[in-house]
């Protein structure tokens, strides 16, 4: 008798877990700005409306990579995904950072946190949020005793 209740209880419990933890994507599939633009162009054939649609769907999208008149100033393949770069740079030394992303555009000494704290500022495009996004405006690395302890970024401006 106890095993029957245990089996019924475990079945109900597991079915509820499957219901709540099942499909968390909401039924949508993630698409890149190029895919959205291509689908829109096949449907409407209006460049301005499709670019506006992509910008409303993905606010951080780079409009220069859309369409035939693409003229990017930065090679999108050279930009690194921000989350991956932050994971790889944390707790690494200065030599590793220089090999990974190059010399900084500016070096600063920070005294408000701790003596010996140093900040490297990269203003050239190095990272982006995701594939098809515009590059970040700035990347700042904080070093303490020669090791990266903090990575900060400034996202692209809202104005295009």
């Amino acid at each position: 008798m106890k095993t029957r209740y245990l089996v019924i209880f475990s079945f109900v419990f597991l079915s509820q877990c499957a219901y709540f933890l099942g499909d968390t994507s909401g039924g949508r599939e993630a698409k890149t700005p190029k895919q959205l633009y291509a689908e829109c162009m096949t449907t409407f054939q209006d460049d301005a409306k499709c670019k506006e649609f992509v910008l409303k769907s993905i606010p951080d999208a780079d409009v220069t990579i859309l369409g035939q008149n693409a003229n990017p100033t930065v090679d999108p393949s050279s930009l690194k995904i921000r989350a991956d770069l932050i994971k790889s740079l944390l707790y690494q030394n200065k030599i590793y950072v220089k090999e990974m992303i190059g010399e900084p555009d500016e070096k600063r000494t920070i005294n408000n946190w701790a003596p010996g704290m140093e900040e490297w500022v990269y203003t050239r495009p190095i990272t982006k949020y995701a594939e098809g996004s515009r590059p970040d405006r700035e990347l700042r690395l904080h070093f303490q005793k020669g090791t990266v302890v903090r990575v900060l970024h400034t996202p692209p401006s809202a104005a295009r």
Side-chain angles (χ1 to χ4, degrees):
M1 187 72 172
K2 287 183 180 182
T3 57
R4 182 187 295 177
Y5 288 125
L6 183 61
V7 169
I8 292 172
F9 176 75
S10 61
F11 177 73
V12 170
F13 179 73
L14 290 175
S15 65
Q16 291 297 320
C17 288
Y19 175 75
F20 286 114
L21 300 176
D23 184 23
T24 57
S25 65
R28 286 192 207 172
E29 57 185 52
K31 294 185 180 180
T32 65
K34 280 188 177 184
Q35 290 172 332
L36 282 176
Y37 181 79
E39 289 177 5
C40 179
M41 284 300 286
T42 57
T43 306
F44 298 110
Q45 290 90 25
D46 187 2
D47 185 55
K49 285 185 179 180
C50 288
K51 284 185 180 181
E52 183 180 339
F53 167 70
V54 170
L55 291 176
K56 284 183 180 178
S57 301
I58 305 172
D60 201 23
D62 186 6
V63 293
T64 60
I65 63 171
L66 304 175
Q68 292 78 20
N69 57 357
N71 189 9
T73 58
V74 177
D75 182 23
S77 63
S78 68
L79 296 175
K80 296 170 178 50
I81 303 297
R82 182 190 312 147
D84 297 337
L85 184 72
I86 289 173
K87 277 189 225 176
S88 67
L89 290 181
L90 274 176
Y91 309 113
Q92 297 294 331
N93 61 17
K94 292 179 182 180
I95 297 170
Y96 180 84
V97 172
K98 283 183 183 178
E99 289 176 3
M100 185 87 164
I101 57 178
E103 286 288 329
D105 298 325
E106 184 180 347
K107 291 183 182 181
R108 302 178 189 159
T109 302
I110 303 173
N111 289 327
N112 60 350
W113 277 23
M117 192 93 174
E118 189 176 358
E119 179 181 57
W120 288 6
V121 180
Y122 293 88
T123 53
R124 65 181 181 269
I126 294 176
T127 60
K128 59 185 175 181
Y129 173 70
E131 197 62 44
S133 298
R134 294 181 298 139
D136 292 332
R137 285 187 291 170
E138 184 179 76
L139 185 71
R140 296 185 343 228
L141 306 175
H142 289 183
F143 290 89
Q144 188 168 16
K145 297 181 183 177
T147 304
V148 178
V149 293
R150 193 172 202 186
V151 180
L152 303 168
H153 69 280
T154 305
S157 62
R160 306 223 179 255

